[in-house]
Amino acid sequence: MSDKTAKLELNGTTIELPIYEGTLGYPVINVEGVQAQGYFTYDPGFKVTAPVESKITYIDGDKGQLLHRGYPIDQLAEKADYLEVCYALIHGELPTKEQKQDFDSKVRNHTMIHEQLRRFYDGFRRDAHPMAVMCGVVGALSAFYHDGMDVSNADHQEITAIRLVAKMPTIAAMCYKYSIGHPFIQPNNDLDYAENFLYMMFSTPADQNYKVNPILAKAMDKIFTLHADHEQNASTSTVRLAGSTGANPYACIAAGIAALWGPAHGGANEAVLVMLDEIGHKDNVAEFMERVKKKEVKLMGFGHRVYKNFDPRAKVMKETCDEVLAALGINDPQLELAMELEKIALNDEYFVKRNLYPNVDFYSGIILKAIGIPTSMFTVIFALARTVGWISHWLEMHSEPYKIGRPRQLYKGYDERNFIEIADR
Ligand code: SDX
């Protein structure tokens, strides 16, 4: 905190609003005092509103900086595996060797889902979007882990985090298998986290000796790390708001999945591939860019609410993209098209002036496609990876006293008026 204040003159009265300073980033003005003066604050889209204090993730949009528990994302992506990042997000520090072994073992022992939960998949149409299935199935977890759940109990909180980190790959892979009519593949706990996910995605009972390509497993693990958490974004704020009512944590995560699905948020990586398909060929790029400038379409995978310089995750993602395509010997025309879009956007005044740089979703779609994952599964994988971020914020919220979230509004509707009988309408 600090003893600094901001002075605000309202109704001829000057009020002093406390200013709080964080470790990094913008100080904040506590505006609660305006209500006593008969005012609310107004900030559509919460662009400049900090509803919480947090120690988990820090983003500096101008510097293109992303820290998880103080560690820069490029160092984590390079030196840690996803489960180490999960441990750091949940517990605040990178694990010791013993802590890592214990955490990995706990996760491996919770990868299976209840047999009855498998039946929820059958309730969906075969052509249901995998995000619809994931949202439903994760919400259904709240039916299996509700009786006796005490959201304020630290042990209950920890096992919830472990279960979610452990079961999301199984649930995600089952969403894919269900969509292609293949039998579900049980997790193989001899495999590492990302390797196990790709094993559940692509092995079949007919191929008992299926082996995951280690280069793809490493790339998948890095993609999980790059999507693990991102401060108070739309889906994380949804989880916090749902959690602030004391709701079942699995139901809160399902709410986060629903929010992430949107094309402006986590659905962008799927939308990038759809956009590249629509453009079709490099020769059509110029015409497409004109449509973007006329605001007829958005350049999916570009721009960010916070990063106005570059998304540090996109930088790591591009390196991974090059590695995977080189390793697989893939000469992907969509990547060439993507590179053409990137080249134009980085040099065209319209985009430069609006700080529209490639974000995390721009390259992830191309890597996932190279790995053999269908476009409709891209946001499912984003949700899988982001679950640890969501539950870390849920844990942080429950780690101290909290109030139910209850935003207010600027009311522009009718003043009070008398009921109009139907005969008189
Ligand atoms: C994620 O919040 C997070 O942290 C999210 C995320 C996470 O990890 O959780 O980082 C993941 O969601 C990344 C973003 C993925 N979304 C997309 O790639 C979809 C395409 N991007 C846009 O929809 C958009 O950039 C947003 C939603 C991401 C940001 O929208 P803003 O805040 O409205 O953008 P802005 O205020 O910076 O826009 C400035 C100008 C506007 O034009 P003008 O009114 O000034 O003329 O740029 C335009 C916008 O219309 N603009 C775009 C554009 N994004 C913004 N124009 C064309 N294509 C785009 N992609």
Side-chain angles (χ1 to χ4, degrees):
M1 301 305 178
S2 81
D3 54 6
K4 287 183 191 165
T5 60
K7 289 180 177 52
L8 180 63
E9 191 173 320
L10 280 175
N11 312 328
T13 311
T14 301
I15 60 170
E16 299 214 4
L17 299 170
I19 289 176
Y20 304 150
E21 291 179 336
T23 316
L24 295 169
Y26 288 19
V28 297
I29 300 171
N30 181 332
V31 293
E32 291 175 281
V34 301
Q35 187 173 13
Q37 303 298 320
Y39 286 85
F40 293 142
T41 60
Y42 188 61
D43 175 22
F46 304 113
K47 292 190 293 294
V48 295
T49 293
V52 293
E53 270 187 32
S54 181
K55 299 183 177 73
I56 300 174
T57 290
Y58 174 71
I59 301 172
D60 183 320
D62 296 327
K63 284 193 215 162
Q65 185 181 34
L66 168 55
L67 309 176
H68 291 321
R69 300 294 188 182
Y71 299 104
I73 188 64
D74 53 331
Q75 291 183 31
L76 290 172
E78 192 55 45
K79 300 173 188 295
D81 67 26
Y82 175 70
L83 285 185
E84 282 178 282
V85 175
C86 289
Y87 187 95
L89 287 169
I90 292 168
H91 295 289
E93 297 294 341
L94 286 168
T96 64
K97 199 171 168 199
E98 294 71 27
Q99 287 167 336
K100 176 173 169 51
Q101 282 166 354
D102 177 56
F103 186 72
D104 285 7
S105 156
K106 281 178 180 165
V107 168
R108 282 172 200 260
N109 290 321
H110 284 89
T111 50
M112 286 176 69
I113 64 166
H114 194 292
E115 272 302 293
Q116 281 187 301
L117 196 73
R118 293 157 73 101
R119 293 193 202 131
F120 280 86
Y121 287 82
D122 293 334
F124 290 94
R125 287 167 50 119
R126 273 281 183 236
D127 59 356
H129 194 290
M131 277 301 281
V133 179
M134 174 175 257
C135 201
V137 172
V138 173
L141 280 177
S142 61
F144 289 79
Y145 304 108
H146 186 68
D147 297 348
M149 163 80 73
D150 172 1
V151 294
S152 62
N153 178 305
D155 294 336
H156 293 196
Q157 291 172 4
E158 186 184 10
I159 187 60
T160 296
I162 296 276
R163 279 189 181 125
L164 281 161
V165 169
K167 294 179 190 310
M168 287 304 272
T170 309
I171 289 170
M174 289 170 74
C175 290
Y176 172 59
K177 288 301 198 187
Y178 183 74
S179 72
I180 59 173
H182 279 197
F184 297 141
I185 299 295
Q186 288 288 0
N188 174 351
N189 290 344
D190 295 335
L191 304 178
D192 292 337
Y193 191 85
E195 193 183 6
N196 206 359
F197 171 63
L198 292 177
Y199 170 77
M200 290 187 281
M201 281 284 292
F202 296 121
S203 74
T204 66
D207 179 0
Q208 301 291 344
N209 302 314
Y210 180 84
K211 289 280 178 281
V212 174
N213 180 329
I215 294 169
L216 301 189
K218 184 168 176 281
M220 194 77 252
D221 192 86
K222 209 174 267 192
I223 288 173
F224 288 159
T225 291
L226 294 172
H227 288 83
D229 188 49
H230 212 241
E231 199 209 66
Q232 307 306 326
N233 58 82
S235 53
T236 301
S237 300
T238 301
V239 171
R240 276 184 176 259
L241 195 55
S244 74
T245 70
N248 178 292
Y250 301 92
C252 295
I253 298 300
I257 295 171
L260 186 76
W261 192 359
H265 187 11
N269 50 16
E270 177 177 358
V272 167
L273 270 288
V274 170
M275 174 184 73
L276 293 175
D277 279 342
E278 272 171 22
I279 297 170
H281 190 275
K282 279 198 293 187
D283 297 346
N284 305 328
V285 167
E287 183 206 343
F288 182 81
M289 289 307 218
E290 285 315 305
R291 291 181 57 212
V292 171
K293 292 175 183 177
K294 287 184 205 141
K295 298 188 183 292
E296 292 169 7
V297 290
K298 282 220 184 249
L299 191 56
M300 300 312 281
F302 279 76
H304 198 277
R305 178 59 61 81
V306 176
Y307 292 122
K308 298 309 173 193
N309 186 333
F310 66 93
D311 182 337
R313 301 166 298 177
K315 205 160 144 279
V316 182
M317 199 67 88
K318 182 176 182 337
E319 289 158 13
T320 307
C321 191
D322 294 342
E323 283 164 21
V324 168
L325 294 179
L328 297 178
I330 293 178
N331 186 6
D332 184 339
Q334 272 194 331
L335 181 70
E336 282 176 32
L337 184 51
M339 293 305 96
E340 183 67 13
L341 279 177
E342 181 199 35
K343 192 173 77 183
I344 293 173
L346 293 181
N347 296 289
D348 184 307
E349 177 55 23
Y350 179 89
F351 300 96
V352 174
K353 193 172 77 170
R354 290 168 174 78
N355 297 310
L356 298 180
Y357 297 89
N359 58 44
V360 66
D361 293 299
F362 185 65
Y363 299 106
S364 63
I366 290 147
I367 304 175
L368 294 174
K369 179 171 178 265
I371 292 176
I373 291 167
T375 312
S376 61
M377 279 290 293
F378 288 3
T379 312
V380 168
I381 286 167
F382 194 155
L384 184 172
R386 183 55 56 88
T387 293
V388 69
W390 292 330
I391 200 66
S392 300
H393 284 272
W394 181 85
L395 290 169
E396 184 175 68
M397 190 192 71
H398 279 284
S399 67
E400 53 199 10
Y402 60 90
K403 288 185 183 304
I404 184 169
R406 182 36 174 107
R408 303 307 301 269
Q409 64 178 8
L410 174 65
Y411 175 67
K412 302 279 269 188
Y414 285 106
D415 197 342
E416 185 173 339
R417 55 179 176 156
N418 292 324
F419 185 79
I420 303 168
E421 296 302 335
I422 192 160
D424 302 328
R425 286 176 214 159

